[in-house]
Amino acid sequence: MSSFALFALLTAPLALLCLPAHAALRVFACEPEWGALAQELGGSLVDVSVATSALQDPHQIQAKPSLIARARNADLVVCTGAELEIGWLPVLLQQSGNAKVQPGQPGNFAAADFVRKLDVPGQLDRSQGDVHAAGNPHIQTDPRNIALVATALATRLQQVDPAHAGQYAKAQADFAQRWQQAIDRWTAQAAPLKGAPVVSQHKAFVYLYDWLGLKEVAVLEPKPGVEPTASHLQSVLSTLKGAPARMVLYSAYQDPRPSEWLSKNAGIPAVKIPFTVGGSDAAKDLFGLFDDTVARLLAAGAKP
């Protein structure tokens, strides 16, 4: 073997180390649940950043320069849609100047486009509060919706990163199997809650109720997004005297005082729902989110 051939043989591994690594697909998620789902489906192929935390109201976010910068560099923006982010996302996308992630482009993904919406208003009247024309946007509280969105998001990942389409498809199939098994388990665990009358602080749980068969008998907010007044709380309390509820639910990001007031005066448990990934210590990922949600509901609302 010549000295040149020997040198080439010895240096070949070093040359491979010097090749640039695959640049991860940059995913910008509006809410923690979609960031977690993108991570489940993308693994090491994606670099995920999330605009909000579980302790922030997703309706009320500011289009800060730091978020604009992340949107500018994103390959894919994954949000809820259905007007949940109407107050900040359009400004964010416009100011990002990123053509790939504008509405209508493959790099713009709205999860709510792929599920059946509930609470779609017959007519739109803004005097009725924070009403969404496309229906209630809080789709992530039903794990069956997560399954539908996962299928659509995996397809979109394959579209925007075709070089790794096979890996996204494999990850989606694996997630779908594990997720369906978990749904079956959660549904069985929560069976004792079916038909239970409950109160909501915000109109945030219609998909959760649709899944588990809970019955919403009152809402603490007089209109969506409007803080409850003392007189409205009193009227809800009066309503419950004739039709008692088993518990009152509020989201991790909400001020708990209205629910705690009702809990004290109506003698029912107030249940903090994590609502999204990070909403409680146990809700570290999508599986933990529903493990914890079902456990909290059962602890408060299962019949003795």
Side-chain angles (χ1 to χ4, degrees):
M1 180 181 291
S2 69
S3 59
F4 176 80
L6 181 61
F7 175 78
L9 184 65
L10 292 172
T11 56
L14 295 175
L16 288 173
L17 290 174
C18 294
L19 289 173
H22 163 68
L25 189 80
R26 289 166 296 197
V27 178
F28 177 82
C30 286
E31 291 84 28
E33 62 268 21
W34 310 131
L37 183 60
Q39 198 65 65
E40 286 276 359
L41 300 174
S44 62
L45 296 175
V46 296
D47 177 14
V48 179
S49 65
V50 182
T52 60
S53 79
L55 302 183
Q56 291 176 291
D57 182 344
H59 301 87
Q60 308 292 336
I61 301 299
Q62 300 299 316
K64 296 179 179 178
S66 59
L67 295 182
I68 293 170
R70 282 193 264 168
R72 182 179 299 124
N73 294 321
D75 299 304
L76 178 63
V77 168
V78 181
C79 298
T80 297
E83 296 187 350
L84 177 64
E85 306 96 353
I86 192 71
W88 57 279
L89 184 61
V91 175
L92 195 71
L93 295 179
Q94 183 181 19
Q95 294 191 9
S96 76
N98 184 348
K100 293 188 294 186
V101 299
Q102 300 304 315
Q105 296 302 311
N108 185 295
F109 181 91
D113 289 350
F114 302 95
V115 305
R116 176 179 62 94
K117 262 80 75 186
L118 303 176
D119 282 355
V120 179
Q123 59 181 19
L124 199 59
D125 183 354
R126 290 299 177 187
S127 69
Q128 293 303 306
D130 189 14
V131 176
H132 299 275
N136 192 298
H138 304 300
I139 63 170
Q140 85 285 355
T141 58
D142 183 344
R144 299 172 301 182
N145 285 340
I146 301 287
L148 295 171
V149 175
T151 300
L153 182 56
T155 300
R156 187 66 60 87
L157 286 166
Q158 294 171 61
Q159 184 181 356
V160 298
D161 187 15
H164 299 94
Q167 288 161 271
Y168 293 123
K170 183 178 179 181
Q172 192 276 325
D174 174 68
F175 175 77
Q177 182 179 30
R178 291 184 293 120
W179 193 247
Q180 187 56 55
Q181 289 171 348
I183 289 176
D184 293 343
R185 183 179 76 250
W186 295 320
T187 304
Q189 288 172 342
L193 296 169
K194 189 170 184 179
V198 297
V199 177
S200 312
Q201 181 163 315
H202 173 64
K203 199 83 173 166
F205 307 110
V206 294
Y207 297 95
L208 176 68
Y209 300 159
D210 184 63
W211 168 43
L212 296 181
L214 298 171
K215 182 182 177 184
E216 186 178 71
V217 295
V219 181
L220 296 189
E221 291 181 349
K223 298 176 183 178
V226 177
E227 287 298 312
T229 61
S231 61
H232 183 72
L233 289 174
Q234 286 288 352
S235 71
V236 171
L237 183 60
S238 297
T239 299
L240 296 184
K241 289 179 180 177
R246 212 178 287 180
M247 59 185 130
V248 54
L249 279 62
Y250 66 98
S251 302
Y253 71 83
Q254 290 182 303
D255 181 347
R257 287 177 293 181
S259 290
E260 289 172 350
W261 182 92
L262 188 70
S263 172
K264 178 182 178 181
N265 287 277
I268 60 175
V271 184
K272 180 168 76 171
I273 300 296
F275 199 58
T276 186
V277 174
S280 69
D281 290 341
K284 290 179 168 42
D285 58 18
L286 288 168
F287 291 89
L289 170 63
F290 287 97
D291 282 339
D292 195 39
T293 297
V294 170
R296 286 169 180 253
L297 291 172
L298 284 170
K303 288 182 178 179

